[in-house]
Amino acid sequence: MTTVILLGAGNVATHLYKAFSTAENISVTQWYNRTRESIKTYANEVEITDSLDELKEADLYIMAVSDDSIEQLSKDLPFTNRLVAHTSGSVSMHALDKKNDIAVFYPLQTFSKDAEITFSEVPICIEAIDKDHRKFLKTLANDLGCKSYKISTSQRQSLHLAAVFVNNFTNQLYRIGHEICESKSVEFEILKPLIQETAKKVQEMSPYRAQTGPARRNDKKTIKRQLKLIENEEHKTIYEVLTDSIKRTHGFPPTPKRRVKKDQE
Amino acid sequence: MTTVILLGAGNVATHLYKAFSTAENISVTQWYNRTRESIKTYANEVEITDSLDELKEADLYIMAVSDDSIEQLSKDLPFTNRLVAHTSGSVSMHALDKKNDIAVFYPLQTFSKDAEITFSEVPICIEAIDKDHRKFLKTLANDLGCKSYKISTSQRQSLHLAAVFVNNFTNQLYRIGHEICESKSVEFEILKPLIQETAKKVQEMSPYRAQTGPARRNDKKTIKRQLKLIENEEHKTIYEVLTDSIKRTHGFPPTPKRRVKKDQE
Ligand SMILES: NC(=O)c1ccc[n+]([C@@H]2O[C@H](COP(=O)([O-])OP(=O)(O)OC[C@H]3O[C@@H](n4cnc5c(N)ncnc54)[C@H](OP(=O)(O)O)[C@@H]3O)[C@@H](O)[C@H]2O)c1
Ligand SMILES: NC(=O)c1ccc[n+]([C@@H]2O[C@H](COP(=O)([O-])OP(=O)(O)OC[C@H]3O[C@@H](n4cnc5c(N)ncnc54)[C@H](OP(=O)(O)O)[C@@H]3O)[C@@H](O)[C@H]2O)c1
């Protein structure tokens, strides 16, 4: 039985707690948070604490706390030579205090407390100095039913950047779709199946091959007409920038620039 | 029994044919394409033809042909006063010759011949001059198990524009994620569950509420660090433009502009 102690009680810690408690070979022996409030509902399933001094011994300490607090909290840990991992996509492993063995256990997914997640479908990116620790964390990921990947700091940071593109920026394109619909009193509902199909397509086909639409065909007439249709200047800029990006990817020259207004020159 | 004749044999026509042939109250009585080649495999299920003069009588003629050929093909139809609909998101209904009753039957989804689609999940946007024709097309959509929406030309054109944002542009963001991964020898595979979850989230929550990440939090440190990490100038521009868009949506001031190189001023 692998023993784990969780630190933090946010989105990631909560999902990790649920996944760990249903896994057969893993036991969460303690759950720490600086404030008891957010974990007190779990007090009859697991030992909870808000004091670092009360922390017991365990095979692994997972710090799922805000990026900015990782460094200080790892300094404040009142023990040494134990395995401590953070869960961040962007913080260096070396932000963790060297008095303990350090590692990263980064679940690449978007978590919010109320949204259900099939945890076994979450890819786990693993980093550790020691080979045995990597193996240990890989087994832990396996026990959760997850695929795991050995990743360097620089690879993890690039993955996190790529995640911003495919998650946050994509979500903003959904938002713009929503705004365009609203401005014409059309239900955003109508776009939802397309949104799902677009994401589904690249599960089996490369995004390069999956591309369609006016920019992919270099259909100048449609591009020009759509640009005229867009009322919002910001949406227009995004349309141009992404149209040019698609064109470049597929070997077409960029669209000639719009005339810039005098006072912007 | 509603009788339908299909014109065209591309992505949309092929999926419509399959959906119509499995629907109980609909019969495809003929399938026309300018070249027999692409439909000849269906010759033992349905009457096929490459001659407009051979077209029979039917309750509805659906022209699922390229946008540019809709106008001419509708002129070439050798009959009058029958109901003719095109399937385009962007072509005006009035591109169809007035000698027949005209309509639009626009399935808002991305189709390719080999990708399976659950047709009953495709929203159908309907336009017609005559109220009875709208009702007829609504019933047809219902018979396919689809939701349908009454839409004006201007609404349809805005929907098509919004579809470019949530489909083509989103797919390009996936492509950029792919490029970032490749440049660091990381498997794009790792991002796929996140891509699906991002699309799934907005099925139940507005994109406004679903937003997370550095721009949403106005986390200047992370934004600056990620901008430094991006090697490709085009990706940098897209990062800036979409970060500013998210910030504006959520009430933060835009990021100060990068210094433009002398020769670009
Ligand atoms: N959310 C995601 O989608 C996601 C995905 C992958 C990785 N991550 C990473 O996982 C980590 C946690 O993210 P999250 O979304 O779970 O964050 P969160 O929901 O904001 O929760 C943050 C947790 O950190 C605690 N905390 C904050 N400052 C602290 C301090 N100075 N000392 C001790 N504890 C402190 C908070 O305690 P209180 O309860 O007392 O406020 C809270 O329990 C971050 O490194 C993040 O980058 C997040
Ligand atoms: N694909 C989508 O995701 C999608 C989604 C919604 C709506 N639409 C709309 O549906 C319509 C068809 O799109 P699609 O993707 O199915 O197109 P497609 O796969 O390119 O097929 C076009 C069809 O039109 C025929 N055609 C082209 N020029 C013609 C001409 N001058 N005369 C007669 N037939 C001609 C072609 O005949 P050949 O077989 O002989 O080449 C082919 O059968 C378009 O209006 C499009 O905007 C497409």
Side-chain angles (χ1 to χ4, degrees):
Chain A
M1 185 68 85
T2 304
T3 54
V4 176
I5 291 180
L6 268 174
L7 296 95
N11 302 309
V12 172
T14 305
H15 282 278
L16 276 176
Y17 173 73
K18 287 178 189 159
F20 284 142
S21 5
T22 44
E24 278 195 5
N25 314 319
I26 304 169
S27 161
V28 180
T29 47
Q30 222 179 3
W31 191 352
Y32 162 90
N33 196 45
R34 59 173 178 181
T35 49
R36 274 185 109 81
E37 197 52 30
S38 21
I39 43 175
K40 69 162 195 258
T41 47
Y42 297 92
N44 48 1
E45 315 175 8
V46 60
E47 191 181 317
I48 64 170
T49 178
D50 58 2
S51 153
L52 292 174
D53 290 325
E54 284 176 9
L55 286 180
K56 299 194 170 155
E57 214 174 318
D59 298 327
L60 172 66
Y61 297 78
I62 295 194
M63 293 181 33
V65 294
S66 333
D67 287 358
D68 290 342
S69 62
I70 291 173
E71 191 168 344
Q72 188 56 50
L73 187 63
S74 83
K75 282 204 182 79
D76 295 344
L77 293 176
F79 50 76
T80 58
N81 298 319
R82 299 187 193 163
L83 185 57
V84 174
H86 73 61
T87 60
S88 171
S90 54
V91 174
S92 163
M93 179 169 66
H94 297 282
L96 294 168
D97 194 306
K98 269 170 271 304
K99 66 183 175 187
N100 281 297
D101 293 326
I102 58 179
V104 178
F105 191 82
Y106 167 48
L108 201 147
Q109 186 48 284
T110 168
F111 298 98
S112 40
K113 269 192 188 172
D114 29 300
E116 285 293 319
I117 282 271
T118 310
F119 206 91
S120 58
E121 286 165 12
V122 177
I124 308 285
C125 301
I126 290 172
E127 205 176 325
I129 295 170
D130 190 281
K131 207 177 154 187
D132 286 341
H133 292 148
R134 262 203 306 274
K135 236 172 108 181
F136 168 79
L137 293 170
K138 191 179 161 63
T139 306
L140 190 78
N142 276 355
D143 286 346
L144 295 172
C146 302
K147 282 193 195 170
S148 67
Y149 299 84
K150 182 191 154 205
I151 291 284
S152 71
T153 295
S154 128
Q155 285 177 320
R156 179 163 47 86
Q157 279 162 352
S158 289
L159 260 176
H160 190 243
L161 172 66
V164 167
F165 278 87
V166 305
N167 171 14
N168 306 147
F169 291 168
T170 287
N171 187 76
Q172 183 65 4
L173 294 181
Y174 300 161
R175 165 69 191 180
I176 292 170
H178 195 286
E179 287 176 11
I180 293 172
C181 284
E182 251 182 3
S183 75
K184 299 280 171 182
S185 308
V186 177
E187 292 169 68
F188 176 63
E189 202 65 26
I190 307 182
L191 291 174
K192 289 183 178 175
L194 178 63
I195 285 174
Q196 282 222 302
E197 181 61 24
T198 304
K200 200 180 138 204
K201 234 175 181 173
V202 296
Q203 304 294 313
E204 267 146 49
M205 198 188 275
S206 73
Y208 182 88
R209 274 199 57 215
Q211 192 58 280
T212 59
R216 170 67 186 88
R217 293 190 307 269
N218 195 19
D219 173 349
K220 297 186 190 110
K221 247 171 69 187
T222 303
I223 293 171
K224 209 171 150 189
R225 199 184 44 223
Q226 292 203 322
L227 272 169
K228 262 177 82 178
L229 201 64
I230 304 176
E231 284 152 18
N232 180 316
E233 271 304 312
E234 185 185 279
H235 296 178
K236 213 171 254 188
T237 303
I238 294 170
Y239 187 100
E240 288 177 322
V241 167
L242 285 167
T243 292
D244 276 357
S245 177
I246 295 172
K247 284 190 183 179
R248 196 153 318 145
T249 296
H250 295 275
F252 298 114
T255 314
K257 285 283 154 290
R258 275 183 292 154
R259 205 123 42 88
V260 181
K261 284 196 217 92
K262 256 279 168 308
D263 58 37
Q264 289 182 10
E265 279 176 342
Chain B
M1 186 68 84
T2 304
T3 54
V4 176
I5 291 180
L6 269 174
L7 296 95
N11 302 309
V12 172
T14 306
H15 282 278
L16 276 176
Y17 173 73
K18 287 178 189 159
F20 283 142
S21 1
T22 45
E24 278 196 3
N25 313 319
I26 304 170
S27 161
V28 181
T29 48
Q30 222 178 2
W31 191 351
Y32 162 90
N33 196 44
R34 57 172 179 183
T35 49
R36 275 185 110 82
E37 195 53 29
S38 21
I39 43 174
K40 70 163 192 256
T41 46
Y42 297 91
N44 49 0
E45 316 175 7
V46 59
E47 190 180 319
I48 64 169
T49 178
D50 58 3
S51 153
L52 292 174
D53 290 325
E54 284 176 8
L55 286 180
K56 299 194 171 158
E57 214 174 318
D59 298 327
L60 172 66
Y61 298 78
I62 294 194
M63 292 181 34
V65 295
S66 333
D67 286 358
D68 290 342
S69 62
I70 291 173
E71 191 168 344
Q72 188 57 49
L73 187 64
S74 83
K75 281 203 182 80
D76 295 343
L77 293 175
F79 50 75
T80 59
N81 298 318
R82 299 187 194 164
L83 185 58
V84 174
H86 73 61
T87 61
S88 171
S90 54
V91 174
S92 162
M93 179 168 65
H94 297 283
L96 294 167
D97 195 306
K98 268 169 273 302
K99 68 184 174 186
N100 281 297
D101 292 325
I102 58 178
V104 177
F105 191 83
Y106 168 46
L108 200 148
Q109 185 49 284
T110 169
F111 298 98
S112 41
K113 269 190 186 169
D114 29 298
E116 285 293 318
I117 282 272
T118 310
F119 206 91
S120 58
E121 286 165 11
V122 177
I124 308 285
C125 301
I126 291 173
E127 206 178 323
I129 295 170
D130 190 281
K131 206 177 154 185
D132 286 341
H133 293 148
R134 263 203 306 275
K135 235 172 109 180
F136 168 80
L137 292 171
K138 190 180 162 65
T139 306
L140 191 78
N142 276 354
D143 286 346
L144 295 172
C146 302
K147 280 194 196 169
S148 67
Y149 299 84
K150 183 190 154 205
I151 292 284
S152 71
T153 295
S154 128
Q155 285 177 319
R156 179 162 47 84
Q157 279 162 352
S158 289
L159 261 175
H160 189 243
L161 173 66
V164 167
F165 278 87
V166 306
N167 172 14
N168 307 147
F169 292 169
T170 286
N171 187 76
Q172 183 65 4
L173 294 181
Y174 300 162
R175 164 70 194 180
I176 292 170
H178 194 287
E179 287 176 12
I180 293 172
C181 285
E182 252 183 1
S183 75
K184 298 280 170 182
S185 308
V186 176
E187 293 170 66
F188 177 63
E189 202 65 26
I190 308 182
L191 291 174
K192 289 183 178 176
L194 178 63
I195 285 174
Q196 282 221 302
E197 181 61 23
T198 305
K200 199 179 139 206
K201 233 175 181 174
V202 296
Q203 304 295 313
E204 266 146 48
M205 198 189 273
S206 74
Y208 182 88
R209 275 200 56 217
Q211 192 58 279
T212 59
R216 171 66 186 89
R217 293 191 306 270
N218 195 19
D219 174 350
K220 297 187 189 108
K221 248 172 64 188
T222 302
I223 292 171
K224 210 172 149 187
R225 198 184 45 224
Q226 293 203 321
L227 272 170
K228 263 177 82 177
L229 200 65
I230 304 176
E231 284 153 18
N232 179 314
E233 271 304 312
E234 185 185 279
H235 296 177
K236 214 171 251 189
T237 303
I238 294 170
Y239 187 101
E240 289 177 321
V241 166
L242 285 168
T243 292
D244 276 357
S245 178
I246 296 173
K247 284 190 183 178
R248 195 153 319 145
T249 297
H250 294 276
F252 298 114
T255 315
K257 285 284 153 290
R258 276 183 291 156
R259 208 130 31 94
V260 181
K261 284 197 217 91
K262 257 278 169 309
D263 58 37
Q264 289 183 10
E265 277 178 343

